[in-house]
Amino acid sequence: MATELEKRPRREASKKTAEGNAESLLELQNAFLPDAGIYETEDNLFVRLDLPGVEKGQVQIEVDETNTLQIRARNEFQEPDGIVFREFSVGDYYRSFRLGEEFSKDNISAKLEDGVLELAIPKREEVKPRRISIKA
Amino acid sequence: MALTDWTFTPTPGMEREFDRLRRQMDDIFGRIGLGAAAGFPAMNVYDRPDDVIVAVQAPGVRKEDLTLDLRENTLTVSAKREAPLYRNASVLREECDYGEFKRSLRIPSRVQNDRIEAQLKNGILLVSMPKSEEAKPKQISINA
């Protein structure tokens, strides 16, 4: 049974948002909002996104002038034919976050492993906590 | 807050509402069999003339933390996904599932147990199971 509902992505990102950026390197179609985890340490912000099916080199990360972090990824998974039972749909991924002023947008590093993207966004030096030693 | 979700979150309270609504919808549609829903890892089944393919979406799960087990016509997937560890980190958001998972699935056809192949790539596990001869579709010719 292939109802319209089954074919619809579970969490579809706004298509307008995904296509609105003319500079996009990846022409995303049917983009999903991937699940995310966000962790803050003293020096960094770590953003993790579940991107199953995405190969290295198929992720585009950018921070625009409004400090919006945008992540686009192309899903390379080729779905076999003959679906009889579906719990997940296959499509590209798009998600964006607004970054605070305390983060440096120039030194973001990214790692993709087992379909999980991890971004490390360093805090700017002047906002890092400092321990002040007390002299006797 | 240092970081706000731009596409999905007008306000934190609203996001929680949406999330709750989505979970309820998934639950309802899952129960009446309209796809979606289910837990981690999500699975798709493809029934083809010569084989049955099960795709398991398991991002963040390493090969050594995955076990596959076929008993009669039931495929069981066990997976362990470890939560990320950062020193002295505060969790601002976590939507992913971590821990140990086990899910079973009835295979729609008899398969050749000794010819099953499984491959994990980019967080998706593909299990391909060739059908046994008697389960393959056969055309019967009609004599005049």
Side-chain angles (χ1 to χ4, degrees), chain B residues 31-47:
Chain B
R31 255 182 298 165
I32 59 174
L34 282 175
F40 184 89
M43 308 201 275
N44 283 357
V45 182
Y46 308 88
D47 190 357

Side-chain angles (χ1 to χ4, degrees), chain A residues 17 33 68-71 94-98, chain B residues 4-7:
Chain A
T17 321
L33 272 181
T68 305
L69 168 71
Q70 298 188 75
I71 301 133
Y94 174 82
R95 191 142 179 186
S96 65
F97 303 92
R98 176 68 76 86
Chain B
T4 46
D5 191 331
W6 192 236
T7 30

